[in-house]
Amino acid sequence: MRTTVGIIGAGPAGLLLARLLHNAGIDSVVLESRDRAYVERRQRAGILEQGTADVLRAAGAGARMDREGLRHDGIELRFDRRRHRVDFPALTGGRSVMVYAQTEVCKDLIALQLQDGGPLLFEAEALAVEDAATDAPRVRFRHEGSEDVLECEYVVGCDGFWGVARSAIPAELTQVFERTYPFGWLGILADAPPSHDELVYARHDRGFALLSMRSPSVSRLYLQVPDGTDAGAWSDEEIWDELERRFETADDWRLERGPITQKSVTPMRSYVHEPMRHGRLFLAGDAAHIVPPTGAKGLNLAVGDVVTFARALTHRKETGSAELLDAYSQTCLRRVWQAERFSYDMTTLLHRAPGATGFEDRLQLARLERIASNRAAETDLAEGYTGFPLDV
């Protein structure tokens, strides 16, 4: 099998890249190790930056998002039983975010790919990327019980942290930067209407809590818990009681409860792999970088990567110049590190570290007071949350 771009992974990054390339007249093949049903139901991110929503619309994949997604023009910060709303459009010149689950993005892009895109092979496990440093890289993969080879001009690894793409870059050429956090998120899905019409980020002496949603009838909520916590150790009633404590306010706000349909614990880490390119192999999304979910940046960073690659390859096709392809890693990493900074700042602003002292508690509250009382500080948060330009 032969193609111009071999894409490993049919998450939102790989699927969007295939769509962008198709629209530019560049052929591709997508290899996904899981079956279609798994890809369309795995729960991940749910916040789309302004730039991500705009890219999906431009790619022809935004119609259902605009019908069913929930546009949010701000978030609420809670601390010391106080409530402060950050107004995104007023602070950013009109930018906002969209609540639209990654599962729905994948459904939309899969439908488009199967309708008029290039081959999308489910249950096709990539085994190795070979000859990445040459002009003819190859992806060995297993599909329908037998091994095959996908011959490419370029390979893009959108196969996540545990995928094979990153391992094709020689260790002596790489640098890894990472930080692990001593806490995670206990997340739940609940059949309950959201208790607020925008996301609520709560800093509390008992730990962080986040109120989010997937639809007008489904809530998504999170609690900071110690690293290594077993989700099953928490009863539904204990979870709701703890959420109520951490979201407490001085007014009459109330938390809506309902049946919990899913619970899991997400570890927290920051990770960057440099470079994001080796020869004709390009890394995108979690294959190259991971952020703690506090800043809602993971999916959006992956979109930035594949937009950068698609633009660079289109430029090569139209002009013959490889200048943008050669700059891929540097271009992406500028945006990645800004997102890492923002996610780290949000995480340390809102989570209480084990053994935190009174001094550290007061510093957190002072930082939150600064955001609530100073337009420049509030603007910095709003600009970071709604998204850094895709060409940075």
Side-chain angles (χ1 to χ4, degrees):
M1 185 180 295
R2 181 183 297 274
T3 190
T4 301
V5 182
I7 301 171
I8 308 175
L15 292 166
L16 177 59
L17 176 58
R19 183 66 184 175
L20 295 173
L21 295 175
H22 171 78
N23 291 347
I26 300 171
D27 62 293
S28 68
V29 172
V30 183
L31 305 175
E32 167 56 47
S33 63
R34 303 283 193 162
D35 63 26
R36 180 178 178 177
Y38 179 90
V39 174
E40 292 187 337
R41 70 172 180 262
R42 57 185 166 192
Q43 292 290 334
R44 294 290 189 274
I47 304 296
L48 309 183
E49 295 174 355
Q50 177 78 58
T52 295
D54 290 343
V55 166
L56 289 170
R57 293 185 186 104
R64 192 164 71 94
M65 173 190 72
D66 285 329
R67 287 196 311 271
E68 301 178 12
L70 306 173
R71 172 181 162 141
H72 280 200
D73 288 335
I75 58 172
E76 183 173 288
L77 298 176
R78 290 193 187 175
F79 59 99
D80 207 18
R81 304 185 70 212
R82 294 172 48 195
R83 306 170 64 178
H84 176 77
R85 181 175 185 266
V86 180
D87 186 333
F88 293 156
L91 296 163
T92 64
R95 297 171 70 82
S96 62
V97 298
M98 183 74 74
V99 177
Y100 193 63
Q102 174 176 313
T103 50
E104 306 310 310
V105 174
C106 286
K107 289 175 187 176
D108 296 341
L109 290 169
I110 287 171
L112 287 170
Q113 187 72 7
L114 296 178
Q115 173 184 302
D116 57 19
L120 166 54
L121 304 183
F122 290 104
E123 298 181 88
E125 180 188 5
L127 303 174
V129 177
E130 301 172 341
D131 301 327
T134 73
D135 292 342
R138 301 151 39 98
V139 182
R140 279 197 302 107
F141 68 99
R142 183 183 295 112
H143 184 235
E144 297 181 341
S146 61
E147 284 196 20
D148 203 345
V149 173
L150 178 62
E151 298 180 350
C152 319
E153 294 179 33
Y154 305 91
V155 175
V156 182
C158 304
D159 52 344
F161 182 79
W162 302 106
V164 301
R166 189 176 64 251
S167 63
I169 301 180
E172 63 271 18
L173 302 180
T174 69
Q175 284 186 288
V176 169
F177 305 88
E178 59 186 326
R179 179 187 181 92
T180 56
Y181 299 85
F183 43 75
W185 279 10
L186 170 60
I188 64 167
L189 275 177
D191 287 336
S195 304
H196 193 59
D197 55 2
E198 294 176 334
L199 272 69
V200 177
Y201 288 76
R203 185 271 173 204
H204 193 276
D205 286 344
R206 296 176 65 90
F208 168 74
L210 171 62
L211 186 159
S212 183
M213 64 283 293
R214 284 294 178 263
S215 75
S217 61
V218 177
S219 292
R220 183 75 160 150
L221 302 108
Y222 299 91
L223 286 169
Q224 176 188 344
V225 293
D227 186 38
T229 292
D230 175 10
W234 285 69
S235 72
D236 292 3
E237 185 176 4
E238 287 173 329
I239 291 171
W240 285 119
D241 288 347
E242 188 63 24
L243 285 165
E244 202 158 78
R245 291 187 194 99
R246 297 189 193 184
F247 285 124
E248 64 182 355
T249 64
D251 58 19
D252 60 356
W253 180 89
R254 291 291 179 268
L255 179 67
E256 294 283 349
R257 299 190 180 204
I260 293 176
T261 59
Q262 184 185 111
K263 64 176 77 169
S264 61
V265 173
T266 302
M268 305 278 281
R269 64 187 306 219
S270 301
Y271 175 91
V272 180
H273 180 282
E274 297 186 8
M276 291 175 57
R277 176 200 177 184
H278 174 60
R280 294 288 186 98
L281 169 64
F282 298 77
L283 303 181
D286 286 1
H289 42 73
I290 295 172
V291 290
T294 325
K297 289 285 164 274
L299 181 154
N300 296 291
L301 272 184
V303 168
D305 294 342
V306 299
V307 167
T308 299
F309 177 81
R311 286 176 178 170
L313 190 56
T314 301
H315 182 73
R316 172 66 181 266
K317 176 187 175 185
E318 294 174 348
T319 69
S321 170
E323 178 184 5
L324 297 184
L325 284 170
D326 291 341
Y328 171 82
S329 184
Q330 182 180 9
T331 301
C332 289
L333 284 169
R334 284 198 297 270
R335 191 167 186 269
V336 166
W337 277 111
Q338 286 302 317
E340 292 282 356
R341 174 198 62 80
F342 177 77
S343 299
Y344 174 82
D345 285 349
M346 287 285 285
T347 300
T348 57
L349 173 71
L350 296 162
H351 292 74
R352 192 171 193 274
T357 65
F359 179 83
E360 291 164 319
D361 290 338
R362 288 293 190 270
L363 283 182
Q364 280 187 319
L365 292 172
R367 291 168 65 189
L368 285 160
E369 290 276 7
R370 175 72 173 173
I371 292 167
S373 62
N374 182 276
R375 187 175 178 86
E378 191 177 24
T379 298
D380 185 61
L381 187 154
E383 289 179 344
Y385 198 96
T386 55
F388 304 104
L390 291 176
D391 57 355
V392 168

